[in-house]
Amino acid sequence: MTTANETPRRTRWLHLLRRDRMASAAAVVLLLVGLCALLGPMLLGDLAREQNLRAINLRPLSTDEGWEFLLGSDSLGRSVLARLIVAAGTTLAVAVPAVLLSLLIGSLWGMWAGFHRGWRENVSMRIADVILSFPSLLLAVVVLYVFDPSVANIIAVLALARIPVYLRTARAESAELRSRLFVDAARTFGTGNWAVIRRHVAPVVAPTLLTVAAVDFCFVMLTESSLSFLGIGIQPPDVSWGLMVAQGRQELQTAWWIAVFPGLAIILTTVSATVLASWARIAGDPAQRWRLTAPRRGRRDRKAAAAAPAPAAGKESA
């Protein structure tokens, strides 16, 4: 039974999130993007592909032809707002699976190699060095140029390119944890290696890996947008934010909104994910959590402190 002093962990995290305005705003932005990704294709999928030749290159805030042209239209009379919402689902459908795959494979591999050390660690690190020797974007360009640039291939190549990031992080953390007393105690009582990794190593390494995954999500999303911009990413009739920027780059002087709005969506989503990842890193570290719970002086308090007269130089306190 939970007492009044034992605040549930979820309530504590929500309280910490409300105290940080930037993190709260970032969480709201990511929540809206997630809702657009889930509901957009079902509600606005047909509207994003529908062409209206009477509404070609409408400027933003043009609602004479309907509310869907609030952000303008492109050269084929398609709603930029509808395409922007539907493109959120396509972009996240590539970035989220790629990050989850690389996180799962790289974390398990890294903890296994770091915990056992020896030849397992050496071979794993050499494989990671070989993959990291190729820039992620260049590797994706080469692979997608040879194979079909489908969604599955894009996810596979992005996941493969990001596995070494989690492998090296998990290896370093687990190699340091294997010499801790609680790990030695578990092995003394006959606990198997995988059981030790699952029960004692993984819970300690997980916050660091999740923080890396949140930052890596931004990189993967930008890489997918870059591939779509180069023409070897998402292919029509599907639409992503990078593809929208690529389709609107030739009309920047006449219809700037076609490329600017998806570009702003990319920037806003990546910045929000970075801010929330930084907040989660501090909130998940007991040594740093005080920075979120420390009382903050408001603007009025700062003005009052600045306006207060300074004590006299020769006056001594009683």
Side-chain angles (χ1 to χ4, degrees), residues 83-94 154 221 224-229 233-247 258 262-263 266:
R83 289 174 63 81
L84 194 67
I85 295 175
V86 173
T90 306
T91 301
L92 295 187
V94 173
I154 295 174
M221 191 175 69
E224 183 278 326
S225 300
S226 301
L227 293 174
S228 299
F229 181 81
I234 301 299
Q235 301 296 314
D238 294 331
V239 58
S240 69
W241 288 338
L243 183 60
M244 292 182 66
V245 174
Q247 293 175 343
I258 300 176
I266 295 172

Side-chain angles (χ1 to χ4, degrees), residues 245 252 256-265:
V245 174
L252 283 175
W256 54 266
W257 53 90
I258 300 176
V260 168
F261 285 129
L264 290 177

Side-chain angles (χ1 to χ4, degrees), residues 298-310:
R299 182 178 300 178
R300 294 181 178 179
D301 295 337
R302 291 195 296 268
K303 288 183 177 180

Side-chain angles (χ1 to χ4, degrees), residues 259-304:
V260 168
F261 285 129
L264 290 177
I266 295 172
I267 295 173
L268 191 61
T269 305
T270 53
V271 170
S272 299
T274 304
V275 171
L276 196 61
S278 178
W279 172 86
R281 179 182 58 82
I282 298 175
D285 187 357
Q288 298 287 333
R289 195 176 298 155
W290 64 269
R291 297 170 56 184
L292 301 176
T293 59
R296 298 182 178 181
R297 299 172 61 184
R299 182 178 300 178
R300 294 181 178 179
D301 295 337
R302 291 195 296 268
K303 288 183 177 180

Side-chain angles (χ1 to χ4, degrees), residues 56-111:
I56 295 177
N57 287 343
L58 289 180
R59 301 185 66 84
L61 303 180
S62 299
T63 57
D64 295 337
E65 298 292 336
W67 62 268
E68 62 270 20
F69 297 106
L70 181 65
L71 297 183
S73 63
D74 59 8
S75 58
L76 296 178
R78 297 172 296 187
S79 170
V80 173
L81 176 61
R83 289 174 63 81
L84 194 67
I85 295 175
V86 173
T90 306
T91 301
L92 295 187
V94 173
V96 172
V99 171
L100 291 180
L101 279 175
S102 58
L103 171 63
L104 180 62
I105 297 174
S107 300
L108 293 177
W109 189 357
M111 286 187 291

